[in-house]
């Protein structure tokens, strides 16, 4: 059974992780644990079952303000009182484990966590900061770009609920 656990710097080999994008490697190495200690973000990792020290992939969750003007009109009206959305700030899979479905599995795992959180602390959207080259990956799952923005995409909680339940 696959489960994600919170990043544990004493257990997980952060230096080994290589997704091919330096900024995403560096975040895991030097920022993720510190940011979690400060309660700014949470980072979850998927361990290799055979070698639990080895990180297959990770994602980082937090909240972010919703830029209402960049939403389609209908959603702007519906959510004009909303403040924040759940943010998948980072998501990456190690090169050695790419193209095996782990990225998709991690994305769904992150959405499940955010859906659960939203039952307690309501928010209407999940936002993702997509690096160049991964935008199409998110579009496959229904994420739509904010107007005039290339790297920020969103999915409504209403759509996530329908997909996951
Ligand atoms: C994007 C990322 C998370 C995908 O992880 P992955 O484990 O390889 O993805 P999966 O195997 O779960 O793929 C799921 C689906 O998305 C597709 N996909 C994967 N990466 C994609 C990409 N970059 N663009 C478009 N589609 C992509 C796969 O073909 C697959 O589709 P299928 O089910 O129809 O075969 C991973 O490539 C990553 O860590 N990216 C960060 C590094 C990055 O952004 N690199 C820039 C591109 S080189």
């Amino acid at each position: 059974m696959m489960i994600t656990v919170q990043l544990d710097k004493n257990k997980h080999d952060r230096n080994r992780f290589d997704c091919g994008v330096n900024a995403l490697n560096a975040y895991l190495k030097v920022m993720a644990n510190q940011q979690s200690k400060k309660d700014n973000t949470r980072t979850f990792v998927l361990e290799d079952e055979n070698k639990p020290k080895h990180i297959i992939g990770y994602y980082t969750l937090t909240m972010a303000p919703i830029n209402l003007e960049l939403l389609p009109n209908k959603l702007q009206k519906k959510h004009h009182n909303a403040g924040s959305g759940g943010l998948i700030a980072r998501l990456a899979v190690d090169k050695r484990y790419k193209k095996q479905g782990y990225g998709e599995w991690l994305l769904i795992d992150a959405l499940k966590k955010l859906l659960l959180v939203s039952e307690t602390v309501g928010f209407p959207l999940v936002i993702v900061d997509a690096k160049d080259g991964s935008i199409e990956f998110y579009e496959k799952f229904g994420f739509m770009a904010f107007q005039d923005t290339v790297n920020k995409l969103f999915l409504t909680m209403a759509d996530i609920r329908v997909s996951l339940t």
Side-chain angles (χ1 to χ4, degrees):
M1 192 191 60
M2 299 206 292
I3 52 158
T4 43
V5 294
Q6 268 203 56
L7 171 68
D8 176 351
K9 69 173 176 135
N10 296 316
K11 178 181 187 192
H12 300 121
D13 186 353
R14 296 172 295 174
N15 289 322
R16 181 181 186 271
F17 185 81
D18 183 8
C19 69
V21 176
N22 287 334
L24 292 169
N25 296 342
Y27 184 85
L28 184 68
K29 244 171 255 181
V30 302
M31 298 291 289
N33 180 65
Q34 290 177 15
Q35 290 302 311
S36 184
K37 270 207 310 213
K38 295 175 183 171
D39 292 326
N40 288 340
T41 61
R42 297 283 175 234
T43 293
F44 292 88
V45 303
L46 178 62
E47 301 171 346
D48 187 326
E49 273 181 339
N50 301 314
K51 289 207 172 104
K53 277 168 55 166
H54 292 184
I55 297 168
I56 293 176
Y58 82 91
Y59 59 78
T60 298
L61 303 180
T62 184
M63 303 293 286
I66 295 171
N67 201 338
L68 276 173
E69 310 92 82
L70 302 183
L71 284 175
N73 284 339
K74 213 177 140 191
L75 289 176
Q76 246 179 68
K77 286 205 187 82
K78 186 172 176 188
H79 301 304
H80 73 276
N81 284 319
S84 309
L87 177 68
I88 302 175
R90 305 211 165 42
L91 189 156
V93 172
D94 186 288
K95 281 186 199 167
R96 288 155 283 200
Y97 301 93
K98 272 188 189 173
K99 310 271 176 229
Q100 299 171 47
Y102 290 121
E104 173 172 357
W105 188 88
L106 282 167
L107 178 59
I108 292 168
D109 194 64
L111 293 175
K112 281 181 185 162
K113 281 202 170 65
L114 291 168
L115 176 61
L116 197 62
V117 168
S118 83
E119 281 165 24
T120 315
V121 181
F123 56 90
L125 303 178
V126 169
I127 301 163
V128 64
D129 263 329
K131 299 278 171 218
D132 303 343
S134 64
I135 292 162
E136 287 165 49
F137 169 77
Y138 292 106
E139 285 174 343
K140 270 183 79 94
F141 298 98
F143 277 87
M144 298 204 304
F146 284 97
Q147 281 162 40
D148 308 324
T149 326
V150 265
N151 285 330
K152 259 195 195 319
L153 300 96
F154 71 91
L155 201 54
T156 65
M157 202 46 81
D159 285 343
I160 294 167
R161 192 177 298 111
V162 169
S163 311
L164 295 182
T165 53

